[in-house]
Amino acid sequence: MIELKINNINVKAEEGMTILDAAKSVGIHVPTLCHMKDLFPTGACRICVVEVEGMRGLTPSCAYPVSDGMKVQTNSPRVRQARKTIVELLVENHPDDCLICVRNKNCELQDLSEQYSLREHRFVGEKKDHAIDISSASMERDPAKCILCGRCVRTCNEIQKVGAIDFTNRGFSSNVTTPFNKGLNVSDCILCGQCILVCPTAALREKSHSKEVISALNDKNKFTVVQIAPAVRASIGEEYNLPLGTNVTGQLVTGLRRLGFKKVFDTNFAADLTIMEEGTELIGRIKNGGKLPMFTSCCPGWVKYIEQNRPQLLDHLSTCKSPHEMEGAVLKSYYAKKMGLTPADIFVVSIMPCTVKKFESDRAELMNDKMQDVDAVLTTRELVRLFKMAGIDFNDLPEDSFDNPLGESTGAAAIFGTSGGVMEAALRTAYFKLTGNELENLQLNDIRGNVGVKESTININGTDIKVAVVNGIGNVGIVLDQIESGKSEYHFIEVMACPGGCINGGGQPIHQKSEKVMKRVKVLYEIDENAKNRRSHENESVKKIYNEFFGEPNSYKAHDILHTTYVNRKELLKK
Amino acid sequence: MHDNIFEKYPKNDRSNLIAILQDIQDEFGYLPENAISEVSEFVGIPQCSVYGVATFYNQFRLIPLGKNVIRVCRGTACHVKNSANILTALEAELEIKAGETTRDKLFTIETVACIGACSIAPVININDEYYGRITVKEIPKIIKKYKNEMKKENAFEKIEESAE
Amino acid sequence: MKSFLDIKFKDGLHTPESPKEEFIAHCTDGALTPGQENEINEFNKRLKYELHEKPIIFIGMDTSSLASGANKIKEEIIKELEIQKIDAQIVETGGIGFGTFEPFVDIKLPGKDRIIYSQISVKDIHELLKSTLIKKEIYVKKAFATYGETNEVVTNINEIPFFKEQLRIVLENCGIINPESIDEYIAAGGFKGLDKALRLMTPETVVKEVLDAGLRGRGGGGFPAAKKWELAYNQKSEIKYLICNADEGDPGAFMDRSVLESDPFKLVEGMIIAAYAMGASYGYIYCRAEYPLAIARLQKTIKQCNDYGLLGKNILNSGFNFELKIKKGAGAFVCGEETALIASIEGKRGMPKPRPPYPSISGLWAKPTVINNVETFANVSAIINRGSKWYSSIGTETSKGTKVFALSGKIENSGLVEVPMGITLGEVVFNIGGGIPDGKKFKAVQIGGPSGGCLPKSVMDTPVDYESLKTVGAMMGSGGFVVMDEDTCMVDVAKYFLTFIQNESCGKCVPCREGTKRMLEIIERLTRNYSKNGEGKDDLLRFKGVLYLERLGNVIRDTSLCGLGQSAPNPVMSGLRYFRTEYEEHIYDRNCPAGVCKELLTYKIDPELCNGCGLCSMKCGVNAILGEKKHAHYIIEDKCIKCGMCYEACRKNAISVN
């Protein structure tokens, strides 16, 4: 134990703790910008400087360890002046367009400017001038708003290990960008949007589909329907100051109806459908000696990653479309037929916790009769903006339930939103399909939780089925190397590009509360535990759709509508 | 394409990145775009990191240089002896700014922090030739000299061509 | 005897594979090898040029000499020797470091003193060789000094004012020996320190000796060099690294280059000793790629050291291994900062990291790493060889030994000077430097490069030591020493350094990246005339900037991540401290008293002197000069952009500047 004084308060801290953490432990807030929990400090932004007795200059509290007898001031005039000046310097090189900025009122720079009472421009001069990169289908990059804190770079390189963006040039011309400053669309980016979640300003943001959605809603000739991904219901409440981990499914449905959607469906329905298809595909591969291990294909970021980086392994990818694409495809085929609608009149909107889903919905492979399966994708954040614009007072909304038949779902579908969930759901159904018995233990703890690569073995009919769950694309490298070197023992591998799964997707509400992932996950597990049915094959609507339309999983028709193909994007990008 | 350079280094060792880029630049005079992706593959790091390094250091160039490279020393000793005026005069004479190359690709002006010939400040260096204690008035003459040499070379080339 | 490797030991020759502990001792002391002593003694005399049959012509061939034409002189000498049919030996040495009088050619006839001839041009060669080699006379016209006794024609080199107050430890061999010959270095007493350290001392005693000597880092900060070695030595790690920072990027400093080019063995010897003291088995010399000659010489040095078993495995049979490699820098001033340099060697962008962890604990590839600069290492062998007592007797209480400065700017004698610590700035400027040329007045001296400050006449009695220089607002820095006269504008100098810092800022931390930019803009506004598009907004910004200039400087100093940023405001802060009135004249009167800040100047044509040739109006890019041919011209002030082209063009000196 180390004893020190911060602002004359006696503080006990552990050896190796930073001044920042020690201060936090006694309720002293020190602002940070470049700091990222669990990553080695870079000491770039200098906003967290404090005064340590005996030190010449000011000390970055995020990067300096406590020591016995240390005397720290976090709020001296010298510290305040330094911090204010640093904020001023950042503001002077940042556009003055808060009023029309997508991050207005949710911007760390704006917050700091307020906290340090910036009231005038004192260091006016040249501002950096960079074009906005709108080349990608999912994201926009606005380097003029970048304050070079480096959090996106570290997320992309150290956590996701994608390495699409990095610091380039130096000094005042420093920029976070792609090689040769080309568009994100031709970079190594997988559009996961994790960088957006850590960006303190609006330098990184989703590409909005709001306009398309609004005009579809205004169009009398369109039958505009909406579906909600599992993870959205567990997080959107955060935007309305509800406690982390509040389930707001009912209010969400009401809100969407009030926005004018003709029908409100649940992507969870398609998640159950996915399990039927993917589970059957897996069993087929195991029985018929198909390519193993098989990868899940629900995550479009992961799909883009493997297409770009390891196209030689594309055979391992399940051919199933992702759940919301299945939902869209079913809406424009089965549902349209059933309701007597012209498929072309149906406009399918997906509310997703994800940015890559926007890219996915544009894929040529996900098109039927020249119609995209899904017409527009809104992130959780964009939906909140629509609600606000429509004057929908979310917290006071009554609850409502989904429309059917594409609204029914089981507990297995709900947990799709978290890392390990797809695997758990698949195993519940595969076990039944192979043994005829129900899996008794429905909680597979091995593959829950926030570990990079989780694995489990489950004995089905005397055969050990080995599975793995890759939690975050940064951890996929080892697993892929194993396959390439012929050393992989797995049968089935789930990969989610975002750490924690969709629940922590790039389209989710932005704030830096570290406990958000586990709290949101809890909501999904609760939905599962409280569900009437917890196995996908128990979903009555799913059973019905096979009886009425597809026949059986992996049938010719099911393949036609629910499965897809992939592209070797490595070749594509070279050209 | 750069195998002759790569074979000198072990694969997947980032510590050689700068040396490899230097070798490529020595050969081509600049870093061609495809070199960045090939080096990234060879060294085993993302393209963007290679690009980040290439744009960080003064030495690396992503566009080719002119035939004659004029380096103007902007060291302190040269500065107090008015090297800024020398630079302005050069820029005016060639109608380009420092860091740029003339349209005919004959001249590039670069500034360097210190050539280390402070005793003969102000200094410029054209290709490997030093010009010390230089004055603004001498600039046009010097440039003309190089232009004439280029003309001669061109003439020779033309003669050779016609001979063929 | 062809080389020292021919020395016969009882159990055979000394080779890297069968190293002999006492190899170095045998090299210079023939008595140790009975039977071969005459051979060894003669070889030594030849290496020291005490014994030779043919005349020897020494040509200084460092970059500085090459820039003043040494290469052409060498070619001319070879040609001339052939024409005159003279048999002479040509030796390429490094540079003696006296830039003003370069290039140098020394000539030594058998049995005579070595005479130095200065400012030799190609045209002089014929006469020089004829009179010295044929007539065997001193060529008085170009004779500069002699290494022998002073006589009626030439003075001894150490009696020349430039050298008189110098004390050369680091530079002792520069310009005297052939930097590419390990044998010459050994004959001149080289590797004695290493020999002593490996045979007679433990790493601990080496550390203690260097600590006692009081050697502090010469790269700027002045941290005790051996303290770092000790820290690293105490780390439990199989692998440790020693790095020499030879990335001299300070504009106006070329001390390190001169050691690298003129006496590279001294650096390598110091590094081997330091590596032994800290327990490093791998070393790097991180050298600027812009120093091709230095790199070439270092490569030769390392090769020869490997061949002589002074680098590599089991050095001099001590059991100590040390492998040394060169890493070429790629041009980034910030790589002088330890953590940035490490990042660069690792193949990354040279951006500094926060400390702790300090490199001595966790540096290159997270292993204990010590970084010192060239000059620091170049002191080590002398300390070990001659003892800490001798070394610590030189200098002041807190700063021991000598310091090399690159003296340049508006000064009579420019070049490299190595002075004992404690000498005053004034002595360097006026005694060694010979004062200001052209009868101009001394104004300031800039010490420490972009991190240092400009010091006025009033503090010229400040002694050269780490602490005193800091008190007056400069710093030792790497050793740039630029003298300025009354024609130098201090605002302009501040602008110059800020521009440099802005170009070299790595861009990682906010105060340096954004802060120095704003500081530069504020200073730039001071050097600007009234805004042409008016509205007064410019003037408002100008005053606002001045108001916050000092505050901004303090914050940059207080909060920047690395030394580059922390010291970036120094040129401005020292300017404000000593030359406030000059700043005020710029601010309030829009006047540059030194006549440097172009926009603040007014150009006038004296109608009496103007002959109406029209050259000025032709050169004027903005048509600000009117006048009829053969009649006096005049300048329209509102149009004039103060480019100065007319001033340069006028042949009648009719244009004046205020």
Side-chain angles (χ1 to χ4, degrees):
Chain A
M1 265 307 180
I2 283 171
E3 291 189 25
L4 69 155
K5 271 192 174 153
I6 305 180
N7 301 352
N8 299 322
I9 302 168
N10 289 319
V11 184
K12 281 192 176 142
E14 276 166 47
E15 178 99 43
M17 213 173 181
T18 60
I19 299 176
L20 180 74
D21 289 337
K24 199 183 244 170
S25 73
V26 291
I28 296 169
H29 174 73
V30 175
T32 59
L33 278 173
C34 67
H35 178 65
M36 291 181 87
K37 210 175 161 270
D38 303 326
L39 291 186
F40 201 81
T42 63
C45 74
R46 318 309 283 176
I47 196 77
C48 72
V49 288
V50 294
E51 204 170 344
V52 177
E53 201 178 280
M55 304 268 283
R56 199 157 35 107
L58 297 175
T59 307
S61 61
C62 74
Y64 207 86
V66 291
S67 60
D68 232 357
M70 194 180 234
K71 283 183 187 148
V72 181
Q73 290 294 333
T74 69
N75 191 30
S76 65
R78 185 169 164 215
V79 168
R80 279 200 305 268
Q81 190 179 62
R83 287 196 196 145
K84 181 169 184 173
T85 309
I86 288 170
V87 178
E88 286 179 303
L89 289 172
L90 286 173
V91 168
E92 289 312 339
N93 198 6
H94 189 87
D96 263 341
D97 63 356
C98 292
L99 288 177
I100 52 168
C101 176
V102 70
R103 290 288 294 273
N104 189 19
K105 294 165 88 180
N106 182 15
C107 168
E108 291 176 42
L109 185 60
Q110 201 181 40
D111 289 348
L112 284 169
S113 166
E114 191 214 340
Q115 277 165 34
Y116 288 94
S117 295
L118 266 63
R119 292 294 176 265
E120 60 172 329
H121 291 291
R122 280 201 278 215
F123 303 112
V124 183
E126 185 189 341
K127 289 193 186 206
K128 60 183 160 198
D129 185 21
H130 298 289
I132 303 177
D133 173 10
I134 53 164
S135 64
S136 101
S138 292
M139 286 170 55
E140 291 178 0
R141 227 165 39 82
D142 187 354
K145 295 196 168 170
C146 176
I147 58 166
L148 299 165
C149 69
R151 292 193 330 217
C152 56
V153 172
R154 303 192 76 188
T155 303
C156 193
N157 289 277
E158 291 175 43
I159 298 175
Q160 298 297 72
K161 297 186 182 145
V162 170
I165 46 170
D166 206 335
F167 286 105
T168 62
N169 297 93
R170 72 177 190 211
F172 195 74
S173 335
S174 295
N175 193 9
V176 169
T177 182
T178 54
F180 294 96
N181 214 0
K182 290 184 176 171
L184 271 184
N185 59 335
V186 291
S187 74
D188 292 335
C189 179
I190 61 164
L191 306 171
C192 68
Q194 284 296 308
C195 53
I196 298 177
L197 294 185
V198 295
C199 182
T201 68
L204 290 158
R205 57 201 184 217
E206 69 280 328
K207 175 171 268 178
S208 178
H209 282 188
S210 306
K211 266 188 194 160
E212 289 87 328
V213 173
I214 291 170
S215 54
L217 285 170
N218 292 342
D219 188 341
K220 294 274 180 313
N221 300 321
K222 288 267 184 223
F223 188 80
T224 307
V225 299
V226 68
Q227 55 169 322
I228 318 169
V232 177
R233 64 205 70 185
S235 63
I236 197 169
E238 294 162 17
E239 295 272 11
Y240 297 98
N241 295 323
L242 294 171
L244 280 174
T246 310
N247 178 3
V248 291
T249 317
Q251 286 96 318
L252 203 45
V253 175
T254 310
L256 289 166
R257 283 198 206 291
R258 291 196 183 176
L259 273 181
F261 288 105
K262 295 268 183 353
K263 295 285 173 188
V264 180
F265 296 120
D266 195 351
T267 311
N268 290 15
F269 164 82
D272 280 332
L273 194 59
T274 306
I275 290 300
M276 301 304 287
E277 289 297 320
E278 208 166 70
T280 309
E281 185 186 354
L282 175 67
I283 293 166
R285 287 192 188 214
I286 294 174
K287 281 190 175 162
N288 308 328
K291 264 271 195 269
L292 287 174
M294 184 178 92
F295 284 114
T296 57
S297 57
C298 314
C299 171
W302 151 238
V303 170
K304 190 164 189 282
Y305 180 89
I306 192 170
E307 286 179 328
Q308 278 167 200
N309 296 290
R310 312 270 186 132
Q312 63 272 30
L313 297 179
L314 278 172
D315 287 351
H316 290 266
L317 208 52
S318 160
T319 57
C320 290
K321 289 181 182 175
S322 73
H324 87 119
E325 292 289 341
M326 280 200 188
E327 183 108 359
V330 170
L331 277 166
K332 291 188 180 180
S333 55
Y334 167 73
Y335 185 81
K337 200 170 155 194
K338 200 176 158 97
M339 304 297 288
L341 294 164
T342 316
D345 289 342
I346 303 179
F347 191 90
V348 181
V349 178
S350 301
I351 311 293
M352 294 284 131
C354 178
T355 42
V356 211
K357 293 280 180 195
K358 290 172 186 275
F359 166 82
E360 186 190 31
S361 72
D362 275 356
R363 286 182 69 123
E365 299 81 24
L366 295 173
M367 211 188 239
N368 232 336
D369 286 340
K370 293 183 183 167
M371 278 179 301
Q372 295 294 147
D373 291 338
V374 170
D375 298 287
V377 173
L378 296 181
T379 59
T380 313
R381 299 187 293 268
E382 288 169 273
L383 178 61
V384 172
R385 284 173 219 139
L386 281 191
F387 279 159
K388 284 185 179 163
M389 205 192 300
I392 292 168
D393 229 338
F394 194 81
N395 290 359
D396 294 335
L397 289 180
E399 297 192 20
D400 197 351
S401 47
F402 289 109
D403 289 305
N404 271 324
L406 278 74
E408 184 189 348
S409 64
T410 70
I415 57 174
F416 259 60
T418 171
S419 161
V422 177
M423 178 60 69
E424 235 183 293
L427 288 176
R428 290 176 191 176
T429 291
Y431 190 88
F432 172 76
K433 290 245 165 182
L434 284 166
T435 64
N437 301 322
E438 296 292 0
L439 185 65
E440 272 174 30
N441 177 18
L442 289 183
Q443 189 170 330
L444 300 175
N445 283 328
D446 289 357
I447 51 174
R448 291 192 175 189
N450 224 353
V451 181
V453 179
K454 302 173 270 190
E455 49 178 43
S456 187
T457 308
I458 182 161
N459 191 289
I460 303 181
N461 270 355
T463 322
D464 275 343
I465 303 290
K466 288 200 74 172
V467 301
V469 171
V470 177
N471 177 16
I473 203 76
N475 301 306
V476 84
I478 311 164
V479 176
L480 295 177
D481 289 344
Q482 282 171 353
I483 298 175
E484 289 207 45
S485 59
K487 285 179 194 147
S488 183
E489 293 175 342
Y490 303 118
H491 294 89
F492 189 28
I493 302 172
E494 175 202 300
V495 185
M496 292 292 165
C498 294
C502 311
I503 202 79
N504 188 32
Q508 292 280 59
I510 297 172
H511 55 76
Q512 307 305 323
K513 291 172 192 150
S514 55
E515 67 279 19
K516 64 184 175 190
V517 175
M518 292 331 282
K519 286 268 173 72
R520 289 173 188 166
V521 167
K522 227 180 104 222
V523 174
L524 299 185
Y525 283 132
E526 274 167 14
I527 296 176
D528 176 30
E529 275 162 34
N530 299 328
K532 196 175 86 200
N533 296 318
R534 296 184 64 188
R535 301 169 182 92
S536 296
H537 53 274
E538 292 168 352
N539 184 325
E540 292 300 329
S541 300
V542 168
K543 282 184 198 166
K544 206 169 147 197
I545 200 174
Y546 279 110
N547 283 336
E548 288 181 8
F549 192 66
F550 288 121
E552 55 177 16
N554 289 9
S555 67
Y556 179 80
K557 198 167 192 177
H559 256 289
D560 189 31
I561 294 175
L562 303 178
H563 290 250
T564 182
T565 54
Y566 304 107
V567 220
N568 180 340
R569 232 167 263 280
K570 198 174 192 173
E571 283 303 311
L572 219 65
L573 281 176
K574 261 187 190 164
K575 281 162 198 167
Chain B
M1 176 176 181
H2 308 292
D3 289 347
N4 57 325
I5 289 163
F6 291 154
E7 67 193 15
K8 290 192 281 179
Y9 300 96
K11 216 173 149 48
N12 294 328
D13 180 358
R14 183 172 188 160
S15 67
N16 295 315
L17 174 59
I18 292 172
I20 293 173
L21 293 177
Q22 282 169 334
D23 285 357
I24 293 176
Q25 182 157 304
D26 281 348
E27 196 172 320
F28 294 89
Y30 73 109
L31 298 175
E33 199 172 314
N34 66 357
I36 300 283
S37 59
E38 279 179 46
V39 171
S40 128
E41 193 109 319
F42 180 77
V43 181
I45 55 170
Q47 270 193 46
C48 210
S49 307
V50 180
Y51 181 72
V53 167
T55 52
F56 183 85
Y57 295 98
N58 289 339
Q59 190 188 5
F60 297 123
R61 266 173 250 104
L62 298 166
I63 37 170
L65 282 181
K67 273 196 170 170
N68 301 291
V69 182
I70 306 172
R71 295 190 178 83
V72 183
C73 181
R74 294 288 287 123
T76 320
C78 287
H79 178 75
V80 300
K81 292 197 172 170
N82 295 328
S83 66
N85 290 352
I86 306 286
L87 181 61
T88 322
L90 272 167
E91 287 175 340
E93 186 70 29
L94 293 170
E95 294 176 352
I96 50 170
K97 289 271 164 217
E100 294 176 351
T101 301
T102 51
R103 278 188 154 204
D104 55 11
K105 304 264 188 294
L106 288 186
F107 295 94
T108 299
I109 304 179
E110 285 189 338
T111 56
V112 290
C114 184
I115 290 181
C118 307
S119 318
I120 52 168
V123 197
I124 66 169
N125 167 297
I126 305 183
N127 307 331
D128 284 322
E129 191 91 13
Y130 289 89
Y131 295 86
R133 300 190 182 99
I134 192 170
T135 60
V136 170
K137 283 183 184 144
E138 293 169 60
I139 299 285
K141 235 193 298 170
I142 294 173
I143 296 298
K144 202 162 186 191
K145 185 180 129 192
Y146 284 88
K147 277 190 178 159
N148 286 341
E149 272 175 30
M150 287 294 126
K151 268 184 206 153
K152 261 188 234 158
E153 250 176 54
N154 282 342
F156 275 126
E157 274 166 26
K158 271 178 199 149
I159 291 166
E160 273 167 28
E161 269 168 33
S162 60
E164 276 164 21
Chain C
M1 190 171 225
K2 275 195 188 122
S3 83
F4 284 125
L5 289 177
D6 295 333
I7 296 175
K8 296 183 187 96
F9 290 85
K10 269 174 274 165
D11 47 350
L13 298 176
H14 166 86
T15 65
E17 294 74 34
S18 61
K20 306 287 177 276
E21 228 171 273
E22 299 187 320
F23 171 63
I24 294 294
H26 279 69
C27 288
T28 40
D29 191 350
L32 291 171
T33 314
Q36 215 183 356
E37 67 258 56
N38 292 337
E39 206 184 341
I40 292 175
N41 289 341
E42 191 198 312
F43 187 56
N44 264 298
K45 276 188 184 156
R46 286 193 182 278
L47 288 172
K48 290 195 238 175
Y49 304 107
E50 285 165 7
L51 179 67
H52 55 105
E53 290 78 29
K54 289 187 271 183
I56 305 175
I57 304 169
F58 300 86
I59 310 172
M61 295 287 264
D62 62 333
T63 298
S64 180
S65 311
L66 290 173
S68 40
N71 230 340
K72 283 186 190 141
I73 286 167
K74 186 185 141 195
E75 281 164 23
E76 186 66 23
I77 288 178
I78 295 173
K79 219 161 76 190
E80 195 61 32
L81 287 176
E82 252 174 50
I83 293 169
Q84 303 196 24
K85 295 206 169 35
I86 307 169
D87 192 11
Q89 183 190 354
I90 294 178
V91 176
E92 291 180 24
T93 67
I96 194 172
F98 197 175
T100 310
F101 287 88
E102 272 162 3
F104 288 100
V105 172
D106 301 359
I107 292 177
K108 185 173 185 308
L109 301 175
K112 295 270 180 62
D113 290 333
R114 179 167 163 181
I115 311 287
I116 308 170
Y117 299 93
S118 66
Q119 285 180 315
I120 299 295
S121 70
V122 170
K123 278 175 267 167
D124 299 319
I125 301 296
H126 178 78
E127 279 299 309
L128 173 72
L129 297 187
K130 205 165 126 190
S131 56
T132 54
L133 302 184
I134 295 174
K135 293 188 196 152
K136 307 214 185 291
E137 290 167 353
I138 292 176
Y139 182 54
V140 184
K141 199 174 138 200
K142 290 282 175 178
F144 174 75
T146 168
Y147 283 103
E149 301 273 300
T150 301
N151 56 40
E152 57 281 5
V153 193
V154 280
T155 34
N156 175 277
I157 179 164
N158 292 319
E159 287 168 29
I160 286 178
F162 181 75
F163 291 98
K164 206 170 177 180
E165 288 181 45
Q166 290 199 47
L167 174 63
R168 290 193 158 195
I169 298 170
V170 169
L171 303 178
E172 64 174 341
N173 292 330
C174 292
I176 299 175
I177 67 167
N178 173 0
E180 296 186 6
S181 158
I182 189 168
D183 284 335
E184 274 195 41
Y185 179 69
I186 293 173
F191 289 115
K192 274 194 178 155
L194 176 68
D195 174 57
K196 189 171 164 190
L198 290 185
R199 272 200 303 146
L200 308 171
M201 298 168 83
T202 61
E204 289 92 341
T205 52
V206 172
V207 165
K208 190 172 177 301
E209 195 71 22
V210 178
L211 274 182
D212 288 348
L215 177 65
R216 297 171 67 175
R218 297 289 191 252
F223 192 78
K227 200 98 211 161
K228 289 191 199 171
W229 309 352
E230 197 176 23
L231 272 171
Y233 179 75
N234 290 329
Q235 294 303 307
K236 287 194 186 75
S237 174
E238 288 280 302
I239 299 173
K240 293 173 190 174
Y241 295 100
L242 178 69
I243 299 173
C244 171
N245 177 0
D247 194 45
E248 190 172 52
D250 193 335
F254 47 94
M255 300 78 47
D256 291 348
R257 193 195 58 203
S258 122
V259 174
L260 296 170
E261 289 176 353
S262 302
D263 199 8
F265 287 100
K266 187 171 245 102
L267 163 70
V268 171
E269 185 188 354
M271 283 190 78
I272 306 170
I273 297 171
Y276 174 68
M278 70 168 277
S281 37
Y282 300 96
Y284 289 101
I285 299 175
Y286 185 85
C287 186
R288 278 183 89 176
E290 292 96 323
Y291 285 178
L293 182 63
I295 289 172
R297 291 210 169 133
L298 276 174
Q299 278 161 344
K300 286 180 189 162
T301 305
I302 291 175
K303 186 180 179 297
Q304 291 182 60
C305 288
N306 280 320
D307 293 345
Y308 274 57
L310 297 167
L311 278 174
K313 292 246 164 352
N314 192 16
I315 296 168
L316 295 178
N317 204 22
S318 63
F320 166 63
N321 309 324
F322 185 54
E323 200 182 301
L324 188 58
K325 281 186 185 159
I326 301 169
K327 279 267 175 188
K328 276 194 281 177
F333 179 67
V334 68
C335 285
E337 163 74 25
E338 293 190 346
T339 51
L341 192 156
I342 288 173
S344 181
I345 292 185
E346 288 174 349
K348 298 176 186 158
R349 290 162 62 83
M351 304 214 277
K353 282 190 205 149
R355 293 178 293 183
Y358 290 93
S360 326
I361 316 277
S362 169
L364 187 60
W365 294 301
K367 300 283 186 251
T369 304
V370 168
I371 302 176
N372 288 124
N373 88 332
V374 174
E375 193 186 337
T376 315
F377 284 125
N379 272 294
V380 174
S381 66
I383 292 174
I384 298 298
N385 192 21
R386 301 172 71 173
S388 57
K389 227 180 200 161
W390 161 76
Y391 193 83
S392 61
S393 70
I394 307 161
T396 66
E397 192 56 43
T398 55
S399 309
K400 304 293 185 193
T402 60
K403 174 73 194 129
V404 183
F405 288 108
L407 192 55
S408 65
K410 308 281 185 71
I411 185 107
E412 279 291 348
N413 301 332
S414 73
L416 286 171
V417 300
E418 183 173 358
V419 290
M421 299 272 192
I423 192 171
T424 66
L425 296 174
E427 284 172 301
V428 176
V429 174
F430 298 103
N431 300 1
I432 297 176
I436 315 300
D438 307 328
K440 298 272 183 178
K441 272 200 225 105
F442 170 86
K443 184 165 188 179
V445 45
Q446 210 286 341
I447 298 182
S451 327
C454 294
L455 304 178
K457 191 146 198 175
S458 60
V459 294
M460 276 305 107
D461 53 356
T462 307
V464 168
D465 73 42
Y466 292 93
E467 281 68 28
S468 309
L469 285 178
K470 239 176 235 169
T471 344
V472 293
M475 64 187 278
M476 192 73 91
S478 51
F481 198 111
V482 184
V483 181
M484 295 158 187
D485 68 5
E486 54 191 307
D487 290 343
T488 313
C489 166
M490 302 320 283
V491 179
D492 176 70
V493 168
K495 187 168 90 177
Y496 163 79
F497 279 113
L498 279 171
T499 310
F500 177 81
I501 289 288
Q502 252 296 297
N503 286 336
E504 295 296 335
S505 164
C506 81
K508 184 174 180 180
C509 76
V510 181
C512 176
R513 181 186 70 229
E514 311 284 344
T516 58
K517 172 81 180 175
R518 300 305 166 216
M519 244 179 144
L520 173 61
E521 285 173 341
I522 294 170
I523 299 287
E524 273 173 349
R525 284 192 197 108
L526 296 191
T527 63
R528 248 184 249 142
N529 206 340
Y530 293 98
S531 159
K532 291 260 152 71
N533 41 20
E535 288 170 36
K537 201 180 155 205
D538 247 34
D539 303 340
L540 186 68
L541 280 181
R542 194 163 171 271
F543 271 96
K544 224 177 193 178
V546 174
L547 230 52
Y548 297 119
L549 185 59
E550 276 183 291
R551 166 183 162 161
L552 184 57
N554 285 331
V555 171
I556 295 171
R557 195 185 54 206
D558 262 2
T559 61
S560 287
L561 171 57
C562 78
L564 173 86
Q566 284 160 13
S567 58
N570 284 0
V572 176
M573 303 299 248
S574 69
L576 286 174
R577 179 167 164 189
Y578 295 115
F579 302 95
R580 212 174 180 96
T581 46
E582 192 167 346
Y583 273 78
E584 282 167 356
E585 266 190 72
H586 281 77
I587 298 169
Y588 301 117
D589 308 337
R590 303 224 192 216
N591 180 31
C592 175
V596 174
C597 299
K598 274 186 188 165
E599 283 199 30
L600 304 184
L601 305 177
T602 32
Y603 286 85
K604 279 208 173 85
I605 299 175
D606 186 340
E608 300 289 313
L609 293 173
C610 179
N611 65 355
C613 71
L615 207 55
C616 54
S617 74
M618 253 167 63
K619 285 276 174 187
C620 181
V622 290
N623 295 326
I625 304 178
L626 296 180
E628 276 176 53
K629 267 249 175 271
K630 294 191 177 164
H631 291 278
H633 283 46
Y634 61 96
I635 299 174
I636 307 166
E637 229 195 290
D638 279 355
K639 272 189 158 185
C640 175
I641 57 161
K642 338 273 181 187
C643 68
M645 293 304 276
C646 55
Y647 181 80
E648 298 285 348
C650 182
R651 292 189 186 138
K652 293 278 166 194
N653 289 330
I655 301 179
S656 62
V657 199
N658 293 310

